[in-house]
Amino acid sequence: MAENSKPSYKFNKSKTKVPMREQKPEERIFNFEEVPLGYTEQEATCEGQRCIQCKDKPCVSGCPVGVDIPAFMRLVGEGQYEDALRKIKETNFLPAICGRVCPQEDQCELACNLNKPQQERQPGGVGRVERFLGDYAMEHGLNVTPKCDPPTGKKVAIIGSGPAGLTAASDLCQRGHDVTVFEALHKPGGVLFYGIPEFRMPKAILVKEIDGLRQMGVKFVMNYPVGKAEPLKSIRDRFDATFIATGAGLPWFLNIPGENLNGVYSANEFLTRVNLMGAWRFPETDTPVKEIKRIAVIGAGNTAMDSARTSKRLRPKKVYLIYRRSRLEMPARAEEIHHAEEEGIEFNLLHAPLRIIDDGTGAVCGIECQEMELGEPDASGRRRPVPIEGKTKIFEVDTVVIATGQGPNPLLTADVPELKRDARKGTIIVDEKTMQSVTWPDVFAGGDIVTGGATVILAMGAGRLAANAMHSFLMTGSTQPA
Amino acid sequence: MANQIVAARLLAEKTMLFEIEAEHIAQRGRAGQFVILRVSDQGERIPLTIAHRDVAKGTITIVAQEVGKTTRDLNALKAGDAILDLAGPLGRATAIPEGGKTVVCVGGGIGNAVVWPMATAMKEAGNRVVAILGARTKDLLILEDEVRAVSDQVIVTTDDGSYGRKGLVTEALQGLIDEGLKIDECITIGPVIMMKFVCKTTQPHGIKTLASLNPIMVDGTGMCGACRVTVGGETRFACVEGPEFDGHQTDFDELMKRLSYYKPEEARSLERAEHACRLQQAADQLLAERDR
Ligand SMILES: Cc1cc2nc3c(=O)[nH]c(=O)nc-3n(C[C@H](O)[C@H](O)[C@H](O)COP(=O)(O)OP(=O)(O)OC[C@H]3O[C@@H](n4cnc5c(N)ncnc54)[C@H](O)[C@@H]3O)c2cc1C
Ligand SMILES: Cc1cc2nc3c(=O)[nH]c(=O)nc-3n(C[C@H](O)[C@H](O)[C@H](O)COP(=O)(O)OP(=O)(O)OC[C@H]3O[C@@H](n4cnc5c(N)ncnc54)[C@H](O)[C@@H]3O)c2cc1C
Ligand code: SF4
Ligand code: SF4
Ligand code: FES
């Protein structure tokens, strides 16, 4: 918007968020294009103006990285998009991504003073405005490469190119350090690339952000599984500090009979085949997924919704989502649950898988589930699901996707037993404030490898914390800022 | 250029050997480990064993048998071309006995490419190496000289008797056992059905037997579980916990079923590539005729 046509700031008293246009469910299930289409400038301005500029700013405390929400909402409300963008980028380096994938309803928007479900007042559309700004920056070429400080002569290794690694790389490069990112796969981005599907997070955005990092001078080494391609010890010898951001990529299975039958995938395998390897375009691409007639996706987190919605686009007859608890406990983002339902995915709550059934040739022909009901509240006050004696149900399916969680990626840690880890969870143990490992002062870790499967913004927050501490460490030998 | 092919050579029908520049893999790779590679941007990730390493030259050698689209694309490459993506070394290295042991390596078909580095490492550690190399017919036998160079004894078998002994590798193995050879360890790599029967041969004699498994893999980094195999009733990820496992505990039947899951898709993929190739040839021919 031109400088001279700035709308003056006025509050927008609408109870509800400015709606976002979306692809219609009946159309989008036949393509992999993005579902929500984003705000226009005018829509974003109107939504910015819904923020009432609270003095106590509860929204900011709700955001894991403390984005100055009222400030950027106001700037957007005034049509000052560039300034708003600058404001966000002070704390959040990937607004186009967080605006799309943050669980806002559990974070910034949950805390928002406007958020009064009983009165049908919706919170400020923080995520939507954030996404708008990220997209605006790309469309207008505003993602100018930030100026980096003069070279410090220090070399930093980042292991893993997910959101934690990318954030740390950006911050450290800006402070003048010589940064190299090592990635085991052939494409950078971590879960953002191999996990989250195109219709939710277009890969072009990620590619642009990574190109930006390259232009800043960050070096990327792909196909380099650290621990295997080079021992951590040798990386430590070559670099002044190392950040481990290898994520929680280890898929958990259910340990029920029949899990190794043909047609049973981990969500990671299913999504990797489709997203990273492009199997939805098979045979144009070389990696297949099997044709699906009926599929059961087990779980109810983002990974499960992504698997269910991805499979829907491969044109099956039926997609079941099976979850052993009730709707209240479903961990996925509200928007994904909503989109999944709109797309005709059949939710079967309070069903716990018992066994996967062999069709006699070693392939899946069904999954038997125990029906559950909600019992007495437990210590946490939540009503626990308990089996209903004698009631089971068989879903006739040819494909099962297990999406019940992931553990820390063991690829690196398996080869470095000295690196102290949580004995039970396998996560790397660090100082919470500095992300410095308790094992070696020059080794830091953050993101899902420290927390277990969490969120993009938490991983980015950890990347930033680590970068700050690593900078101090590199310049002064201590993680405490001078 | 990264991952450049410095030498390419046809070993047998549809089987190519490539020597590739990959310094860090040459340096860190160990017998039993593999690489995952991709030939084109639309391509699949496939695992191939590191058959040989030349640390001084910074090269690794892989041997690929054409069985589908990706191996077909790979085997069409020539010296001077580069492999688009090459990740490794992956998997665990073969556990090599410290020396003084008698080890029998049983390979079949393309598996002989894996016997080569294993036998080499076994020999270097001071073990006595007996290699049994099987092939369908003489022309398909690969790497005999290479394996001979690092073995104390080599027995070749062919199904049709065109070279070496006529018969199966298991018969040769049984022969060694019957002769009273004291075998400390057996290691086998080849078609699943062959490995299964090698394990059946050694089991009654309590000979420790490792099988190098070849399940379908996607990432090769422990992230997807496509490579899961059942060993001793437990699910294991072959790419990070293997590829070698106790052969007497391995569920080979499950592995065979899992390997066949994508047969129709693989056929489609190959058919499409061959069709494109025929179209190209036809077009080239037309152009050539026009120019004439
Ligand atoms: C399907 C799916 C959907 C999700 N949806 C959402 C969502 O909507 N919103 C949200 O906030 N969160 C979501 N999450 C969670 C979120 O993606 C993760 O919390 C986040 O990506 C963690 O970031 P990270 O940088 O720690 O690790 P990752 O993104 O996991 O990246 C780790 C990278 O390290 C690489 N690596 C591992 N080992 C090595 C090694 N030895 N050497 C070199 N490289 C190595 C891996 O290949 C990977 O690329 C989702 C997760 C999944 C799986
Ligand atoms: C650890 C390991 C080491 C191997 N070493 C060698 C080697 O040194 N030389 C060699 O020629 N082959 C080796 N293989 C087998 C090789 O990976 C497959 O032949 C190759 O992936 C086939 O791909 P394709 O596209 O040409 O054929 P496709 O048409 O895709 O498949 C043909 C057959 O190959 C198998 N296969 C398919 N995709 C994969 C995959 N991603 N991973 C594993 N198997 C698959 C299936 O059984 C399939 O039926 C190895 C496999 C493993 C797991
Ligand atoms: S980064 Fe995420 S949590 Fe923070 S303000 Fe943006 S959308 Fe909300
Ligand atoms: S709580 Fe809501 S209304 Fe108040 S400043 Fe934050 S976003 Fe704006
Ligand atoms: S190939 Fe993906 S976990 Fe082994």
Side-chain angles (χ1 to χ4, degrees):
Chain A
M1 191 164 293
E3 288 292 312
N4 51 12
S5 65
K6 264 182 231 163
S8 61
Y9 194 82
K10 55 176 194 294
F11 290 113
N12 168 359
K13 301 223 175 61
S14 166
K15 280 190 171 186
T16 52
K17 292 181 190 174
V18 175
M20 189 179 278
R21 286 157 302 124
E22 289 182 346
Q23 270 200 79
K24 291 200 189 67
E26 59 275 20
E27 285 165 14
R28 71 190 190 226
I29 57 170
F30 297 113
N31 66 55
F32 272 78
E33 276 145 48
E34 194 169 19
V35 171
L37 300 172
Y39 276 162
T40 61
E41 292 181 15
Q42 200 197 356
E43 287 163 343
T45 302
C46 285
E47 188 56 37
Q49 291 168 345
R50 282 188 65 236
C51 169
I52 55 172
Q53 301 291 311
C54 310
K55 290 275 165 309
D56 58 340
K57 305 185 196 178
C59 50
V60 178
S61 339
C63 168
V65 298
V67 171
D68 191 345
I69 295 165
F72 88 72
M73 291 291 269
R74 185 183 178 98
L75 287 164
V76 170
E78 291 170 354
Q80 315 259 34
Y81 308 130
E82 277 198 61
D83 291 342
L85 184 70
R86 219 164 284 135
K87 196 64 185 165
I88 285 200
K89 286 225 163 177
E90 282 172 12
T91 39
N92 175 353
F93 134 82
L94 299 169
I97 294 175
C98 293
R100 286 176 166 83
V101 304
C102 263
Q104 287 95 5
E105 70 277 7
D106 293 329
Q107 301 182 353
C108 50
E109 296 185 15
L110 175 70
C112 173
N113 281 330
L114 292 178
N115 189 14
K116 303 247 162 52
Q118 308 84 341
Q119 297 173 27
E120 301 201 325
R121 263 174 66 183
Q122 293 180 343
V126 179
R128 293 178 177 188
V129 174
E130 198 167 299
R131 166 184 167 171
F132 163 78
L133 287 171
D135 291 355
Y136 183 88
M138 300 229 174
E139 276 156 32
H140 293 77
L142 299 179
N143 273 351
V144 275
T145 316
K147 263 188 85 78
C148 297
D149 293 346
T152 59
K154 302 284 182 188
K155 290 175 71 185
V156 180
I158 310 252
I159 307 174
S161 64
L166 294 179
T167 306
S170 165
D171 285 9
L172 287 162
C173 185
Q174 284 183 52
R175 294 200 177 145
H177 305 298
D178 178 358
V179 179
T180 307
V181 178
F182 297 98
E183 169 56 52
L185 297 175
H186 60 270
K187 294 269 198 230
V191 170
L192 299 177
F193 207 106
Y194 76 70
I196 303 183
E198 177 74 18
F199 56 82
R200 196 146 80 77
M201 234 287 309
K203 302 298 167 243
I205 296 174
L206 187 64
V207 168
K208 269 203 178 152
E209 297 289 359
I210 287 166
D211 283 347
L213 289 178
R214 283 207 172 94
Q215 273 162 28
M216 276 165 66
V218 175
K219 284 167 253 173
F220 283 86
V221 181
M222 296 295 114
N223 298 307
Y224 205 80
V226 175
K228 298 283 181 195
E230 181 174 354
L232 180 62
K233 167 89 179 59
S234 151
I235 295 269
R236 290 180 57 214
D237 290 344
R238 290 205 288 138
F239 293 86
D240 299 297
T242 301
F243 181 51
I244 303 177
T246 48
L250 174 75
W252 285 333
F253 285 87
L254 296 166
N255 293 318
I256 58 173
E259 255 179 329
N260 290 350
L261 291 172
N262 281 335
V264 183
Y265 298 88
S266 73
N268 271 0
E269 180 185 350
F270 187 70
L271 293 170
T272 299
R273 281 181 179 272
V274 180
N275 295 329
L276 180 70
M277 308 310 297
W280 53 286
R281 289 184 287 123
F282 181 85
E284 240 171 86
T285 56
D286 296 346
T287 309
V289 269
K290 203 74 182 173
E291 189 188 318
I292 299 167
K293 295 206 180 66
R294 292 163 181 273
I295 174 172
V297 175
I298 317 300
N302 287 322
T303 315
M305 296 303 150
D306 283 346
S307 303
R309 298 179 63 205
T310 296
S311 71
K312 186 74 192 183
R313 284 155 174 76
L314 303 173
R315 314 201 176 175
K317 289 207 186 83
K318 193 96 192 163
V319 182
Y320 301 107
L321 189 110
I322 296 178
Y323 181 48
R324 69 189 187 94
R325 295 177 178 272
S326 68
R327 182 169 288 263
L328 227 57
E329 288 87 19
M330 292 174 74
R333 292 179 77 223
E335 190 184 12
E336 309 321 323
I337 297 174
H338 171 67
H339 281 155
E341 283 195 303
E342 276 187 347
E343 288 168 12
I345 285 152
E346 189 185 304
F347 287 15
N348 289 275
L349 307 175
L350 293 164
H351 280 78
L354 292 175
R355 68 183 177 108
I356 302 171
I357 306 164
D358 190 339
D359 71 351
T361 71
V364 175
C365 69
I367 179 166
E368 186 177 9
C369 297
Q370 169 70 55
E371 293 184 34
M372 315 285 278
E373 64 188 347
L374 290 177
E376 295 300 311
D378 60 12
S380 71
R382 280 202 318 190
R383 292 178 65 194
R384 280 240 318 247
V386 289
I388 307 175
E389 201 60 45
K391 278 194 95 171
T392 64
K393 181 169 172 185
I394 291 176
F395 295 87
E396 282 176 23
V397 292
D398 51 29
T399 307
V400 174
V401 171
I402 315 271
T404 48
Q406 275 128 257
N409 195 321
L411 186 64
L412 174 71
T413 50
D415 285 336
V416 194
E418 315 89 282
L419 186 63
K420 286 203 187 65
R421 284 177 293 150
D422 182 288
R424 197 173 52 85
K425 290 186 286 195
T427 46
I428 298 178
I429 303 178
V430 298
D431 176 304
E432 273 175 30
K433 294 201 187 64
T434 60
M435 301 287 138
Q436 190 174 34
S437 72
V438 297
T439 318
W440 296 297
D442 59 320
V443 175
F444 296 71
D448 280 3
I449 189 69
V450 165
T451 53
T455 61
V456 171
I457 188 67
L458 280 172
M460 288 177 51
R464 171 142 297 170
L465 275 182
N468 286 338
M470 287 168 81
H471 177 66
S472 300
F473 172 80
L474 288 166
M475 304 314 284
T476 68
S478 151
T479 54
Q480 302 308 317
Chain B
M1 197 169 22
N3 313 332
Q4 190 167 9
I5 299 172
V6 296
R9 166 158 79 87
L10 188 72
L11 290 187
E13 192 197 343
K14 297 200 165 190
T15 306
M16 288 284 288
L17 175 149
F18 296 100
E19 189 180 348
I20 306 163
E21 267 173 13
E23 207 183 328
H24 66 279
I25 307 179
Q27 218 172 73
R28 323 267 183 208
R30 293 291 175 268
Q33 289 189 297
F34 60 93
V35 293
I36 290 244
L37 58 76
R38 233 165 48 111
V39 182
S40 75
D41 204 39
Q42 305 297 324
E44 193 172 13
R45 295 170 64 93
I46 64 158
L48 295 165
T49 304
I50 303 167
H52 187 69
R53 300 173 294 116
D54 188 327
V55 183
K57 270 168 84 184
T59 61
I60 61 166
T61 299
I62 56 172
V63 178
Q65 182 182 31
E66 186 181 321
V67 294
K69 167 78 165 55
T70 309
T71 42
R72 178 181 185 277
D73 290 351
L74 174 66
N75 284 3
L77 297 182
K78 299 178 291 296
D81 293 339
I83 309 278
L84 179 64
D85 291 303
L86 182 69
L90 294 165
R92 299 207 165 279
T94 308
I96 305 291
E98 270 167 32
K101 298 272 189 309
T102 299
V103 184
V104 178
C105 302
V106 188
I110 190 71
N112 295 339
V114 189
V115 168
W116 179 21
M118 284 175 180
T120 308
M122 296 281 183
K123 187 71 200 165
E124 276 170 3
N127 298 295
R128 179 179 150 73
V129 177
V130 180
I132 304 177
L133 303 180
R136 278 209 321 276
T137 180
K138 178 170 191 272
D139 292 343
L140 294 178
L141 180 71
I142 56 168
L143 300 171
E144 184 193 348
D145 294 344
E146 286 80 354
V147 175
R148 274 194 195 282
V150 293
S151 306
D152 296 275
Q153 185 190 351
V154 174
I155 305 170
V156 174
T157 66
T158 49
D159 295 6
D160 62 359
S162 52
Y163 184 61
R165 298 188 198 171
K166 179 172 162 56
L168 303 173
V169 288
T170 40
E171 292 161 15
L173 177 63
Q174 188 64 52
L176 290 177
I177 296 170
D178 294 344
E179 281 164 25
L181 178 71
K182 196 188 143 296
I183 303 173
D184 295 298
E185 192 173 315
C186 175
I187 189 156
T188 178
I189 163 76
V192 181
I193 190 76
M194 179 202 97
M195 294 193 281
K196 176 177 167 172
F197 283 101
V198 166
C199 295
K200 285 214 157 144
T201 307
T202 56
Q203 191 158 26
H205 306 279
I207 300 167
K208 178 183 170 193
T209 304
L210 291 174
S212 180
L213 307 184
N214 56 347
I216 291 180
M217 295 187 176
V218 180
D219 62 303
T221 69
M223 192 260 291
C224 77
C227 61
R228 57 200 193 278
V229 290
T230 301
V231 182
E234 271 180 48
T235 295
R236 311 285 294 271
F237 287 12
C239 72
V240 283
E241 299 175 89
E244 281 153 33
F245 293 98
D246 180 345
H248 296 147
Q249 301 279 324
T250 299
D251 186 341
F252 289 106
D253 295 338
E254 178 185 272
L255 177 60
M256 270 184 267
K257 284 180 190 155
R258 287 184 65 81
L259 277 168
S260 66
Y261 188 46
Y262 291 102
K263 280 260 148 69
E265 287 77 14
E266 285 152 0
R268 250 175 91 198
S269 184
L270 188 62
E271 165 56 31
R272 190 171 178 277
E274 279 170 353
H275 180 68
C277 179
R278 282 194 300 272
L279 280 179
Q280 185 65 46
Q281 278 169 357
D284 288 349
Q285 205 173 350
L286 279 176
L287 283 177
E289 274 165 21
R290 192 198 62 185
D291 292 346
R292 221 178 287 134

